[in-house]
Amino acid sequence: MIEIEHLTKRYKNVAAVNDLNLKVKRAEVFGFIGPNGAGKTTTIRILAGLLRPTSGKATIDGYDVIKDTMEVKKVVGYMPDLFGVYDQMRVWEYLDFFGAAYRIGKERRREAIDRVLDITGSRDMRDYYIGTLSRGMKQKIGLAKTLIHDPQVLILDEPASGLDPRARIELRDTIKNLKSQGKTIMISSHILAELGDFCDTIGIIEKSKLLATGTLSDIMRQLRQHIIIEIQILDGMKQAEEILRMQKTVQSFTSSGDLIRVEFDGRIEESSDLLKSLVTSGVRVQWYSESPIDLEDVFMLVTSRSEGE
């Protein structure tokens, strides 16, 4: 649905985006991750047709973002980090205004307003003045405005910035709902915790370059040749450590209190043999589990490897 080839944007001698290549599949949630100033917003503004690249090409649903700008705008809903609101308008008037800008007929606009208010859980705000809304409420209405023309692709730039925990949870649920409707969603953020739960794939960008892309597990497999197993010992810590030292599949391990963290070098099926060795030797194991992949760990591994290279 989104395809970027050798995309570059330069400001004099500074590259905001440098030779970016990226694909996002239809009905996929793609997390675009990187620190402030990495090139996320520049890429997004090019995709939204608001900025011309220095070189390269980008298409959305087959439309070139430069040559077919008007067609792209029909397909894409773009929600910037900071968006303009009209404080003296009521919510429904604000949505009606943008519906008219998309040339949606008057009767259809009424239906569209009801639809987007329902999707964003904002129906009770219909008659509120925009100027009276909190930050979280304005984010909901901004998303509703982005959905007014029923776009197939949503590009959301830092949508959770400044939101409290409850508002972030509500936003996450809304994004999951939109994905279930078949929307393709590209969401940028430097707040990693909010993306790990619902993104199908991620791209990590830093200093204008895309460092890695794929699923969390795919990227982690490329970076880490072993898995991490955590074992909580109820009784028999010293014995457990001795057994681990004799295992060829154990690269190293660390102990802290009753917890052992093992770098396991074998196949995942062989990890059951490790557990069997502990239990049959009389070690009382409280729990035994592969350490889950964490988005923050992936980000730090990718960026630290880039710095090393």
Side-chain angles (χ1 to χ4, degrees):
M1 183 59 101
I2 300 174
E3 188 165 359
I4 298 173
E5 298 175 0
H6 304 292
L7 194 69
T8 297
K9 178 62 179 177
R10 288 186 173 276
Y11 296 97
K12 294 185 179 179
N13 295 324
V14 177
V17 176
N18 189 6
D19 196 31
L20 185 83
N21 293 281
L22 179 66
K23 290 183 181 181
V24 180
K25 296 178 183 178
R26 191 178 300 272
E28 181 174 81
V29 180
F30 176 79
F32 202 29
I33 298 167
N36 292 329
K40 301 189 303 296
T41 296
T42 299
T43 304
I44 281 172
R45 287 176 64 81
I46 291 171
L47 291 175
L50 301 175
L51 194 63
R52 294 184 71 89
T54 305
S55 61
K57 182 181 179 181
T59 60
I60 297 180
D61 199 18
Y63 296 112
D64 189 292
V65 298
I66 300 302
K67 297 176 182 177
D68 309 312
T69 305
M70 295 309 295
E71 293 302 320
V72 167
K73 289 182 186 296
K74 293 176 185 177
V75 176
V76 171
Y78 168 52
M79 181 177 167
D81 181 11
L82 298 172
F83 51 88
V85 293
Y86 300 97
D87 288 346
Q88 301 308 312
M89 278 185 172
R90 295 182 187 274
V91 166
W92 74 265
E93 291 174 323
Y94 177 74
L95 297 174
D96 187 71
F97 173 80
F98 280 97
Y102 278 105
R103 296 185 172 87
I104 302 172
K106 194 169 184 178
E107 289 302 317
R108 285 184 54 224
R109 286 206 301 273
R110 291 176 184 170
E111 296 174 4
I113 290 168
D114 287 340
R115 173 177 55 82
V116 297
L117 288 175
D118 283 340
I119 289 173
T120 57
S122 309
R123 184 176 277 271
D124 59 342
M125 291 187 269
R126 182 187 183 92
D127 293 317
Y128 289 10
Y129 283 103
I130 297 288
T132 66
L133 302 180
S134 68
R135 167 80 185 202
M137 290 176 174
K138 285 181 179 177
Q139 288 290 89
K140 283 187 175 184
I141 300 309
L143 182 56
K145 179 265 295 180
T146 303
L147 293 166
I148 195 71
H149 62 300
D150 196 21
Q152 291 306 299
V153 177
L154 297 174
I155 301 177
L156 312 178
D157 192 3
E158 301 284 0
S161 177
L163 299 186
D164 62 38
R166 180 181 291 276
R168 286 185 181 177
I169 291 169
E170 290 174 351
L171 175 66
R172 181 188 64 197
D173 291 342
T174 301
I175 290 171
K176 288 180 178 180
N177 179 32
L178 290 167
K179 179 194 172 182
S180 72
Q181 296 176 27
K183 306 289 186 190
T184 303
I185 304 170
M186 183 176 187
I187 177 169
S188 85
S189 184
H190 63 279
I191 306 171
L192 304 188
E194 73 193 27
L195 295 181
D197 288 343
F198 58 80
C199 287
D200 299 303
T201 56
I202 61 167
I204 298 175
I205 186 171
E206 188 177 39
K207 296 178 182 177
S208 78
K209 288 189 175 183
L210 189 68
L211 303 181
T213 184
T215 65
L216 273 177
S217 55
D218 285 344
I219 294 173
M220 191 56 112
R221 273 196 293 269
Q222 294 169 23
L223 295 171
R224 194 171 73 181
Q225 300 304 312
H226 51 264
I227 62 174
I228 303 297
I229 295 174
E230 293 183 340
I231 310 169
Q232 187 175 24
I233 304 298
L234 196 61
D235 187 40
M237 177 60 79
K238 288 185 178 180
Q239 189 175 356
E241 290 175 346
E242 297 225 356
I243 292 168
L244 291 173
R245 287 190 190 99
M246 294 186 294
Q247 301 296 316
K248 293 181 180 179
T249 52
V250 174
Q251 182 174 333
S252 65
F253 66 89
T254 56
S255 305
S256 178
D258 60 355
L259 187 68
I260 303 178
R261 190 174 171 88
V262 178
E263 291 187 11
F264 185 77
D265 235 354
R267 298 191 309 274
I268 189 64
E269 312 87 67
E270 293 176 308
S271 68
S272 62
D273 295 331
L274 177 59
L275 175 59
K276 182 180 178 181
S277 297
L278 292 168
V279 173
T280 55
S281 298
V283 177
R284 298 178 65 193
V285 177
Q286 179 79 2
W287 54 260
Y288 178 100
S289 175
E290 181 182 351
S291 179
I293 296 171
D294 184 89
L295 184 52
E296 292 182 358
D297 290 340
V298 170
F299 178 78
M300 293 305 295
L301 278 169
V302 169
T303 53
S304 62
R305 169 179 278 195
S306 173
E307 287 174 4
E309 290 172 352

